[in-house]
Amino acid sequence: RIFVERWYNLMILQRDKILKLIQTNNLITSINPTHIGEFTVDLMAERFYSGDKDFNTIPLPPMRAIICQTYEIIDLPNDIVGFVSIRNKWLRQGLVLHAPIYHPGHKTQVTFTLQNISCQDITLLEGESYAQIMFYELSHDAKPYIGKYYNEMYRLVDGAFH
């Protein structure tokens, strides 16, 4: 019951509110306006990371996973939460997405893991949209995120993210 009550007051942001927050608060940057849907924003892959190497394009074998970094940077106000999900086109081809919940106050480059659960390779390409982000407005400001990954723009240095 506590879970239901906490999430009950969330409201999904629609296109007009997303555009307003982009203009006034830099909600999400490096975004093409054509990627903003009625209530989601398509995220574009910039790089893929596997082990100590990064790639612009890479075949993802069955039952393997890879980290995907997008061009977009989010800067969430203290009353906005971001949820990343797989686009239906890619789900139907056998990709699964694992992503964090982006907390209020979080500023970071959007990053997630893609896993191939199909029986064949799936070629991942820079500039392709594998995911979308949906923003939810809380009923009131929350304590802003100030953790290890605040303001982190991922770059691979000596086999580790920095």
Side-chain angles (χ1 to χ4, degrees):
R1 180 166 185 193
I2 292 171
F3 178 79
V4 172
E5 289 175 5
R6 284 187 181 167
W7 293 99
Y8 183 74
N9 291 323
L10 291 178
M11 180 177 70
I12 297 172
L13 296 187
Q14 290 181 276
R15 181 182 170 83
D16 58 341
K17 180 81 178 228
I18 293 169
L19 288 168
K20 181 180 176 187
L21 286 172
I22 289 171
Q23 293 172 351
T24 60
N25 295 69
N26 288 325
L27 175 69
I28 185 167
T29 59
S30 301
I31 187 74
N32 180 328
T34 63
H35 298 157
I36 303 171
E38 187 54 36
F39 56 90
T40 62
V41 177
D42 292 342
L43 302 170
M44 309 306 287
E46 179 184 19
R47 307 213 43 85
F48 304 97
Y49 296 97
S50 180
D52 61 352
K53 299 195 184 313
D54 63 313
F55 307 89
N56 290 337
T57 300
I58 187 169
L60 185 60
M63 306 316 293
R64 297 296 308 256
I66 196 162
I67 294 172
C68 178
Q69 171 186 298
T70 70
Y71 286 105
E72 293 79 19
I73 297 168
I74 56 170
D75 189 357
L76 301 179
N78 292 339
D79 64 343
I80 302 293
V81 175
F83 290 89
V84 177
S85 62
I86 191 81
R87 293 192 62 213
N88 189 40
K89 166 186 176 178
W90 295 104
L91 179 66
R92 291 172 183 263
Q93 292 185 41
L95 281 181
V96 176
L97 182 142
H98 308 280
I101 295 172
Y102 289 103
H103 292 241
H106 201 150
K107 180 178 181 180
T108 191
Q109 194 159 10
V110 179
T111 303
F112 48 84
T113 300
L114 291 171
Q115 182 179 11
N116 181 356
I117 61 168
S118 76
C119 296
Q120 56 192 359
D121 285 4
I122 297 174
T123 301
L124 303 177
L125 306 169
E126 174 189 5
E128 181 63 63
S129 178
Y130 298 98
Q132 56 198 351
I133 190 166
M134 189 180 304
F135 298 104
Y136 291 80
E137 186 173 28
L138 302 172
S139 59
H140 58 277
D141 282 4
K143 181 178 174 185
Y145 174 83
I146 301 180
K148 180 179 178 181
Y149 302 105
Y150 178 79
N151 205 20
E152 182 170 52
M153 304 307 128
Y154 294 102
R155 292 291 175 245
L156 191 65
V157 178
D158 295 328
F161 288 105
H162 297 278

